[in-house]
Amino acid sequence: TEPLLLISASYDKTINLYNIETEEPSLVCTLKGHKGEITCMLGINLDEYSSEETDKENDLCFCTGSKDFNIKIWSVLQKKCKRTLTGHKAPVLALCCLTKQKLISSSEDLSLMIWNLELYECEKIFEFKDYSMMKCIMRYDDNRILVEGNKGEFMCFNLETAKFTGTFKKHDDEVTDLIYLKKTKQVVSCSKDQKMCLWDIEKDICDCVVSGHTSGINTMCVLMRNNNKFITGGSDGEVIIWESAY
């Protein structure tokens, strides 16, 4: 967008839009609507964060999940909530885009829900009984996603067959985030055990285990979408930039 905006969501139930092109970042507006703490946020149609590829005539949107059980779709240009998606019976934990038109969410109600973003309705529900809460989700390919499993593991879930097709365990504590490195075709998992693992999912092999943080790793993101660099943030207060050597 022009000017360049930074969007942050908080446990105080609000969303702030900041202009970060000025010498001192300035608050553009505060969006309100959730009745519970905001737990997750995701850009919907940002075309891999490249403004050059984004259709200027289309609105830029992002979505948030909350402890009020709801998902809200927000307009960046109109600076308001466009639609509220209801259906979960407990706090929303994580959000992930399957396509530009489809979103998947997880919840403390032990379910995954696929949403049609054109019709603003739920297309499919996957319900689990004896299963831990899925706090992170990552799209792996057209039919599969990766989700946090029990302590120290994550799992591959096939959306067509509604079955788990693999379990990957190397961590000693909760898996907190998952990303995919396009250049090396590796999945990276991070954990509260202060470590990151680089995986070859198809071969079910952990290529290496990396450490550097002195406390649990909370979050991770790809630095450049077509490269093999990524960033981690930990409870030790450090942000570290990494590069895969493969």
Side-chain angles (χ1 to χ4, degrees):
T1 61
E2 297 179 1
L4 190 63
L5 298 178
L6 171 71
I7 305 172
S8 66
S10 170
Y11 280 173
D12 66 8
K13 310 174 189 178
T14 67
I15 299 159
N16 285 340
L17 276 66
Y18 296 93
N19 181 348
I20 57 174
E21 289 190 328
T22 56
E23 185 174 345
E24 287 293 330
S26 57
L27 179 65
V28 175
C29 68
T30 297
L31 304 178
K32 299 180 180 180
H34 280 296
K35 296 180 180 179
E37 298 174 359
I38 299 174
T39 55
C40 48
M41 180 172 64
L42 179 72
I44 296 176
N45 57 350
L46 302 188
D47 276 328
E48 310 231 85
Y49 309 115
S50 172
S51 59
E52 293 179 357
E53 297 177 7
T54 304
D55 186 348
K56 300 297 183 181
E57 295 181 358
N58 291 333
D59 196 1
L60 299 174
C61 298
F62 64 96
C63 57
T64 51
S66 169
K67 288 188 176 180
D68 63 12
F69 307 178
N70 296 330
I71 299 165
K72 287 186 177 292
I73 310 295
W74 303 86
S75 163
V76 175
L77 301 181
Q78 298 176 38
K79 299 180 178 61
K80 68 177 184 179
C81 177
K82 294 180 66 174
R83 193 65 63 98
T84 299
L85 308 180
T86 61
H88 280 299
K89 300 175 183 177
V92 178
L93 295 174
L95 299 166
C96 177
C97 280
L98 298 178
T99 66
K100 281 187 178 182
Q101 290 78 35
K102 290 188 180 182
L103 173 77
I104 189 166
S105 60
S106 68
S107 167
E108 286 185 15
D109 61 15
L110 304 184
S111 74
L112 292 171
M113 300 183 74
I114 296 180
W115 304 88
N116 185 313
L117 296 179
E118 291 183 323
L119 302 176
Y120 298 107
E121 63 182 27
C122 178
E123 283 190 349
K124 200 167 188 179
I125 302 176
F126 302 97
E127 295 182 325
F128 309 95
K129 293 184 178 179
D130 301 321
Y131 196 73
S132 65
M133 295 183 291
M134 294 174 256
K135 297 178 183 177
C136 59
I137 314 173
M138 191 202 85
R139 177 183 178 271
Y140 182 65
D141 59 25
D142 291 341
N143 300 319
R144 292 176 292 176
I145 60 171
L146 302 178
V147 296
E148 174 200 355
N150 294 315
K151 189 174 182 180
E153 69 182 24
F154 64 94
M155 306 172 75
C156 184
F157 183 72
N158 190 304
L159 297 170
E160 285 193 342
T161 62
K163 293 181 178 180
F164 289 101
T165 58
T167 300
F168 307 88
K169 184 173 175 61
K170 197 74 174 180
H171 292 288
D172 301 318
D173 206 337
E174 177 186 333
V175 174
T176 54
D177 215 343
L178 297 161
I179 59 170
Y180 182 66
L181 301 179
K182 289 184 178 180
K183 185 174 181 180
T184 58
K185 297 181 179 179
Q186 292 170 303
V187 170
V188 186
S189 60
C190 65
S191 168
K192 288 184 177 180
D193 66 4
Q194 307 174 22
K195 300 174 184 177
M196 290 164 294
C197 294
L198 278 70
W199 299 86
D200 184 324
I201 296 297
E202 298 303 327
K203 295 180 180 179
D204 193 8
I205 295 174
C206 178
D207 292 324
C208 69
V209 179
V210 184
S211 59
H213 284 280
T214 57
S215 189
I217 304 173
N218 300 321
T219 188
M220 178 169 51
C221 68
V222 177
L223 180 61
M224 289 180 279
R225 288 292 177 117
N226 295 318
N227 211 318
N228 57 340
K229 294 182 180 180
F230 57 99
I231 306 173
T232 54
S235 295
D236 54 10
E238 291 189 348
V239 175
I240 303 177
I241 299 175
W242 305 84
E243 182 172 8
S244 173
Y246 288 87

